[in-house]
Amino acid sequence: MSALWAGIAILALGVLLYLQENGDVDLQSGWLLAGFGACLLIALVATAAGRPRRRMDPAQIAAEKQLSAEIGRDAGKLSWLAVAAGLLLGGALVFLWSQGALQDAGSAAAAALLVTVVLGTISAPLWLAMVRRLGSERVARARSEERAEVAAHLHDSVLQTLALMQKRAGDPDEVAKLARRQERELRSWLAGEGPSRPTERLADALEAAAIDIEESHGTPVDAVVVGDAPLDERMEALVAATREALTNAAKFAADGGPVRLYAEIENGGAQVFVDDRGPGFDPDSIPKDRRGVRESIIGRMKRFGGRAEIRSEPGDGTEVELTVEGDGR
Amino acid sequence: MSSQPTVVIVDDHAIFRSGVRAELDGMVEVLGEAESVEDAVRAIAELEPDVVLLDVHMPGGGGVEVLGQVAKQRPQQRFLALSVSDDPQDVIAIVRAGARGYVTKTITGDQLADAVRRVRDGDAVFSPRLAGFVLDAFAGDLPAEEVDPELDQLTAREREVLRYIARGYLYKEIALRLHISAKTVEAHVSSVLRKLQLSNRHELSRWAVSRRLVD
């Protein structure tokens, strides 16, 4: 603020000297001082205007404030530069004019140019600040749009699920299922994963199978999938056989904790394991009419050049191993 | 070494800390809790727990920051990372920063107590998901001249053990299937942990990006 008063004082002194035309001090010094004062004032006003005002919107967050402070600091630095440049140029202009150098018609253009340069230099921080403020407003707008999007997503997903869970509080299985489904959904959303493509990619298809079986049978399925490959006819057969194995495990081994699916996909081949800690059975004693295992798993894998192995013992869980050979790379 | 192991729980969620404390009751002695990086560094230096249960995501740098700061004062301190995050990059980062294992927060109390005991005894603890990440990270061949076989490749046996872990089998179940002792299974897992922490295999840092996106 003291600089503002100094500016006014210099301006006043200059004007005073000019008015006292017959004083001891000559006219030129008066002009000179008045010019300096005016330049200083304009620059100071520009500095003050260039400093972004603090926003009153209560929704603004701390990051925004920091941004404003940074812009303010930059604008302040630039303003002082402009003050110096303005003073210099203004002084030169006033000096030339007082010397009569600019009174010729030929010098008028030069004078106009000089004035433009002076005004431009002085008001530069103002323009700069305006441009930046527009930028920061755009950032703020983008941020509030993003917030609205997040809010909408949470409303459609998490809040709905929480409401459902309160309604079904008496059914622990259903509550666990809802929680797992929501967890999965939120996870993939947070990870920014693209939409799952279960009709195109093997990894997505296996994971989708795990989710389907879990949801339709209420038995948790833990899936770990390593690698990926496009879904061709052979891999579709693999997925179908996997579904069958998961279904059996979910049906018969629900008391043994989660069913586990592990898949390793590499070099065009794939190996899938479905394991459970259920009661197990004697694989040799599968009745002929149990099409599930014979046809849907073993037969299907064979038809497409793969193989299926089932290891189980009564009381010791079941392991299903499905293999599609790779291209041997 | 059969007495109750001692832990400090580091997590910025109070509900989660009290949940873990309740679940571990009677199996593990909880010496203290911390909810920030600074608190954690101070509490660990003061309480000297056998194991630190460390949340991956925390304000102020997260678990990796705690690991870095504590390692300077207590290089022997053992950490078990505990997180809801399944983001492979986060998980690999915290293990490479020095954690001796990683389990997800949905783990049961018994399993967590068992994992704490194993980390205290110097073993590594891999969840099925971490085993999957590691198999993925070490998949594929490197040009021969770039390979340090000591660190950049898994042995066939290590791969086998990891595969069983990814399939959700316990160490003793794996031992039974491979006709080796549970101690040997543990030795294989510890060796994998060492490779995971020290390997220069460039996939380890940028594998998560490259793997799933490249068809």
Side-chain angles (χ1 to χ4, degrees), chain B residues 203-214:
Chain B
E203 277 93 342
L204 285 176
S205 45
R206 55 181 190 83
W207 139 94
V209 189
S210 64
R211 190 79 176 157
R212 272 294 169 84
L213 298 181
V214 178

Side-chain angles (χ1 to χ4, degrees), chain B residues 124-164:
Chain B
V125 171
F126 280 21
S127 63
R129 203 163 283 273
L130 177 57
F133 290 164
V134 175
L135 281 167
D136 208 350
F138 281 88
D141 296 322
L142 285 181
E145 66 271 23
E146 283 179 33
V147 174
D148 175 356
E150 282 290 295
L151 291 178
D152 296 338
Q153 280 175 339
L154 301 178
T155 65
R157 241 322 149 54
E158 285 164 354
R159 227 171 253 282
E160 239 171 337
V161 167
L162 279 179
R163 214 168 268 150
Y164 274 115

Side-chain angles (χ1 to χ4, degrees), chain A residues 118-131:
Chain A
V118 170
L119 289 179
T121 313
I122 290 173
S123 59
L126 197 70
W127 292 110
L128 211 69
M130 207 152 80
V131 168

Side-chain angles (χ1 to χ4, degrees), chain A residues 7 9 46 62 65 96 98 112 122 124-125 131 161 169 173 183 198-199 219 221 223 241 246 256 265 268:
Chain A
K65 278 187 200 153
L96 287 174
S98 63
I122 290 173
V131 168
T161 301
D173 287 349
E183 181 191 342
T199 55
T219 306
V221 178
L246 286 172
I265 309 159

Side-chain angles (χ1 to χ4, degrees), chain A residues 187 260 264 275 277 319, chain B residues 84 167 169 173 177:
Chain A
R187 250 181 223 295
R260 289 112 57 197
E264 213 171 283
D275 301 276
R277 287 202 177 81
E319 307 174 22
Chain B
V84 292
R167 288 168 64 186
Y169 285 101
E173 293 172 318
R177 279 166 174 78

